[in-house]
Amino acid sequence: AQSVTQLGSHVSVSEGALVLLRCNYSSSVPPYLFWYVQYPNQGLQLLLKYTTGATLVKGINGFEAEFKKSETSFHLTKPSAHMSDAAEYFCAVSDRSGGYNKLIFGAGTRLAVHP
Amino acid sequence: DAEITQSPRHKITETGRQVTLACHQTWNHNNMFWYRQDLGHGLRLIHYSYGVQDTNKGEVSDGYSVSRSNTEDLPLTLESAASSQTSVYFCASSGTGVGEQFFGPGTRLTVL
């Protein structure tokens, strides 16, 4: 069965510092992987996704993630944090059992950005 | 623009009452999902539907029901609200393909 583990429920960085949010997955089939962001009192918004092809995926707001099959990882990075990046981030893997698609979400990582 | 809406955005109810949360999408997606979000638990899947007249139980379906009579709507019903069902509820939809889901803005439900 598919599963997702996000290491670190809370991450704090300084403005301008590198952001690294970790995600490891388990999947019995080639995975489709997603990162979502949730700002306070809002729904989830797609940041980026990996399906096939290039393993380095670029998303919105300067974020990117690299699919590493050998490490079963899909870590999210941003070179320079901005105050507006403070939010909760969710990694997800697609469960394609039965020919349909569900998403299996990690527990989330809350990112704090301080001046 | 296509969108997914939820109503009401906030609801306070009493234990034992029946409550229905609405979800409406204009993406023309076949797949619709209901989640609840609680501190420390992330997103948990309640029910989902892959098309009209199709419904399936998720990991936390006890005390909830859904019905799908058209493509656009998937209302979530709490048959007899309990304090443990105080939560934020999100509806999402997806089309065919890789399973990317589009989320509504959420409904904050308080059961007193």
Side-chain angles (χ1 to χ4, degrees):
Chain A
Q2 284 77 1
S3 66
V4 175
T5 301
Q6 291 184 239
L7 297 175
S9 58
H10 290 81
V11 171
S12 181
V13 301
S14 299
E15 191 173 20
L18 171 72
V19 175
L20 171 60
L21 304 182
R22 300 179 187 273
C23 173
N24 288 90
Y25 70 89
S26 171
S27 177
S28 57
V29 298
Y32 296 154
L33 295 159
F34 306 82
W35 275 100
Y36 283 83
V37 60
Q38 184 182 30
Y39 299 104
N41 300 312
Q42 294 186 26
L44 277 69
Q45 176 184 358
L46 183 71
L47 265 181
L48 50 79
K49 62 185 176 185
Y50 168 79
T51 56
T52 59
T55 56
L56 182 62
V57 180
K58 294 186 185 300
I60 62 172
N61 300 338
F63 284 92
E64 62 184 34
E66 187 171 11
F67 169 62
K68 292 188 176 181
K69 183 179 179 180
S70 61
E71 299 178 8
T72 61
S73 68
F74 191 56
H75 301 331
L76 182 71
T77 60
K78 182 174 181 178
S80 177
H82 192 271
M83 298 295 288
S84 61
D85 294 326
E88 187 149 25
Y89 293 80
F90 293 92
C91 182
V93 64
S94 183
D95 176 358
R96 292 181 279 155
S97 58
Y100 294 100
N101 275 320
K102 297 201 303 288
L103 292 184
I104 309 299
F105 286 90
T109 297
R110 185 168 298 276
L111 176 67
V113 182
H114 52 86
Chain B
D1 287 345
E3 61 177 356
I4 180 166
T5 57
Q6 294 183 236
S7 61
R9 294 294 313 279
H10 301 271
K11 174 78 175 177
I12 300 174
T13 191
E14 296 177 343
T15 301
R17 291 191 179 267
Q18 184 181 78
V19 176
T20 297
L21 308 183
C23 175
H24 179 80
Q25 53 99 1
T26 58
W27 292 96
N28 199 33
H29 285 159
N30 283 330
N31 309 324
M32 295 185 73
F33 308 84
W34 273 104
Y35 297 90
R36 59 178 290 173
Q37 184 177 31
D38 305 284
L39 278 175
H41 291 278
L43 285 165
R44 291 184 289 176
L45 183 63
I46 305 172
H47 281 286
Y48 57 102
S49 168
Y50 289 137
V52 176
Q53 302 301 331
D54 176 76
T55 60
N56 305 279
K57 294 181 178 180
E59 61 177 308
V60 290
S61 60
D62 287 349
Y64 303 94
S65 64
V66 294
S67 63
R68 187 91 179 269
S69 59
N70 59 50
T71 300
E72 296 80 18
D73 299 288
L74 187 70
L76 177 71
T77 297
L78 288 68
E79 301 294 344
S80 178
S83 58
S84 60
Q85 294 177 309
T86 292
S87 186
V88 180
Y89 292 86
F90 288 99
C91 180
S93 70
S94 71
T96 57
V98 302
E100 171 186 347
Q101 291 183 13
F102 296 81
F103 281 79
T107 294
R108 184 174 296 275
L109 177 68
T110 302
V111 183
L112 301 175

